[in-house]
């Protein structure tokens, strides 16, 4: 266990992005994946990274600061992917499919991300919730707004309200991970495996693009 | 404030369904709606109902017991509605539309229901989570299984996995209420009003039944 020094003065300095902070975030995310829990302490992270606990406190102030920094790191990566995706020479339909798969894969790859978002939005401070909105909800909603507009302009998508669309897509993806644990208590529901993820990506693509009516019914309805 | 008596012996007796218990549940749900929070104590409920706090403790044991009884009451009403809906002389498509509207309206009418489910599934005891699964997740999944099978048999629905369908529909509906608070911090997103609920019902019906591709694209894809 690394020594835990009193650094109340240092903790008041603004956190600086540098390689020590990056190494601490890597240690934090590895611990969360190993434990399948976001319940890791600053001293756990000091021990895992081999970096003095005083430096952990210096960079993140407290545990919520660390969780926020970790989510900010992962969200920044995802936002870069979104911008990259939007710029590709693909149809809006193809981009939407890749986006659906991207969300589900990101949640699956970083199982703690979903829990971090729920914790920071609902059980942490108002400031933390504002930050999550600024670097996660806002950019994601903005991306979807632009993708939907592109699809409408190309004649591929009908007009869909972006805020309602965001709610339904993110809610559905989120529930595979947040709600599955509860569902596994019901008959015939297993844990989320690679195969379940692939199946859910295919399910969401088909559902959002073409719905569940058979072609016959669509013709009748139209 | 009603007197708070020691009733440890009485609390060990099994709770009995009777009018006192029903009146307590009415008081609990009214308090939760008034406060827009599930954070109500047994003594708050005693005060609101005018029933002795000893009787509150006798019927529910502790706060989680009360929350579970309240959710069980509301879930039982909803399950009755589901059975009634399934028995109606309507097409599976019409039943699915009514089901989508029913879920969203139930969440809107009982704003505490969603929070109760999250609390009991994720922050309470394993026993409480098992109970929620037994009287809420299980019957809802079973209903959807039967409705989907009916739709496939009638040639109206394509084959959709019931567990994946449950996840996407419940996740999307849940997120309007659980996720909206966080979204309102982002630009252009207001609170959930009557109109937002109606719009979301229309959005979910259109999305789940026919998807978001224009008819032209559906023909091309098919």
């Amino acid at each position: 266990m690394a020594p835990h020094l009193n650094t109340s003065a240092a903790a008041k300095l603004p956190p600086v992005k540098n390689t020590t902070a990056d190494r601490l975030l890597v240690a934090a995310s590895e611990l969360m994946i190993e434990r399948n829990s976001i319940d890791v302490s600053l001293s756990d992270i000091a021990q895992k990274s081999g970096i003095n606990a005083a430096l952990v406190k210096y960079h993140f102030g407290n545990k919520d600061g660390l969780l926020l920094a970790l989510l900010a790191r992962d969200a920044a990566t995802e936002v870069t992917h979104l911008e990259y995706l939007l710029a590709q020479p693909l149809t809006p339909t193809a981009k939407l499919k890749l986006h659906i798969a991207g969300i589900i894969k990101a949640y699956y790859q970083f199982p703690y991300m979903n829990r971090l978002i729920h914790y920071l939005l609902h059980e942490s401070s108002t400031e933390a919730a504002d930050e999550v909105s600024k670097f996660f909800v806002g950019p994601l909603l903005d991306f979807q707004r632009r993708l939907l507009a592109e699809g409408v302009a190309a004649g591929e998508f009908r007009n869909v309200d972006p805020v309602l669309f965001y709610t339904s897509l993110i809610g559905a993806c989120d529930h595979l991970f947040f709600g599955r644990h509860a569902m596994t208590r019901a008959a015939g529901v297993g844990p989320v495996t690679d195969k379940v993820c692939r199946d859910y990506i295919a399910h969401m693509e088909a559902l959002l693009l073409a719905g569940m009516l058979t072609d016959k019914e669509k013709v009748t309805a139209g």
Side-chain angles (χ1 to χ4, degrees), chain A residues 96-98 100-101 200-211:
Chain A
L96 179 59
K97 283 173 138 184
L98 289 171
I100 294 168
Y200 200 59
I201 290 170
H203 165 78
M204 287 300 295
E205 282 178 3
L207 196 64
L208 291 197
L209 290 175

Side-chain angles (χ1 to χ4, degrees), chain A residues 150-178:
Chain A
E150 206 178 276
V152 171
E156 290 180 26
F157 301 161
R158 61 182 176 78
N159 243 315
V160 177
D161 179 281
V163 172
L164 301 183
F165 177 79
Y166 174 101
T167 306
S168 48
L169 175 56
I170 299 301
C173 292
D174 184 290
H175 209 66
L176 181 63
F177 301 92
F178 198 68

Side-chain angles (χ1 to χ4, degrees), chain A residues 62-186:
Chain A
N62 58 28
K63 201 188 145 188
D64 279 11
L66 168 86
L67 297 181
L68 205 54
L70 183 60
L71 187 63
R73 183 197 71 167
D74 295 343
T77 310
E78 294 305 320
V79 170
T80 312
H81 291 165
L82 295 179
E83 289 302 325
Y84 179 82
L85 176 58
L86 211 55
Q88 293 312 297
L90 296 167
T91 64
T93 302
K95 288 179 191 175
L96 179 59
K97 283 173 138 184
L98 289 171
H99 179 48
I100 294 168
I103 297 172
I104 296 171
K105 281 179 187 162
Y107 275 146
Y108 189 55
Q109 192 183 350
F110 304 110
Y112 59 80
M113 200 196 273
N114 189 279
R115 284 179 226 180
L116 272 185
I117 293 169
H118 280 273
Y119 170 77
L120 291 168
L121 284 177
H122 299 284
E123 291 164 55
S124 183
S125 64
T126 313
E127 293 73 26
D130 282 341
E131 285 293 305
V132 173
S133 176
K134 205 188 297 170
F135 64 56
F136 189 86
V137 181
L140 191 50
L141 184 54
D142 179 59
F143 162 81
Q144 292 183 357
R145 248 185 241 282
R146 288 183 288 157
L147 177 56
L148 291 176
E150 206 178 276
V152 171
E156 290 180 26
F157 301 161
R158 61 182 176 78
N159 243 315
V160 177
D161 179 281
V163 172
L164 301 183
F165 177 79
Y166 174 101
T167 306
S168 48
L169 175 56
I170 299 301
C173 292
D174 184 290
H175 209 66
L176 181 63
F177 301 92
F178 198 68
R180 185 79 173 197
H181 185 61
M183 288 183 69
T184 55
R185 297 166 192 275

Side-chain angles (χ1 to χ4, degrees), chain A residues 28-29 31-40 112 115:
Chain A
S29 68
L31 271 179
M32 288 180 188
I33 291 172
E34 280 168 33
R35 295 187 184 174
N36 192 26
S37 164
I38 62 168
D39 199 14
V40 301
Y112 59 80
R115 284 179 226 180

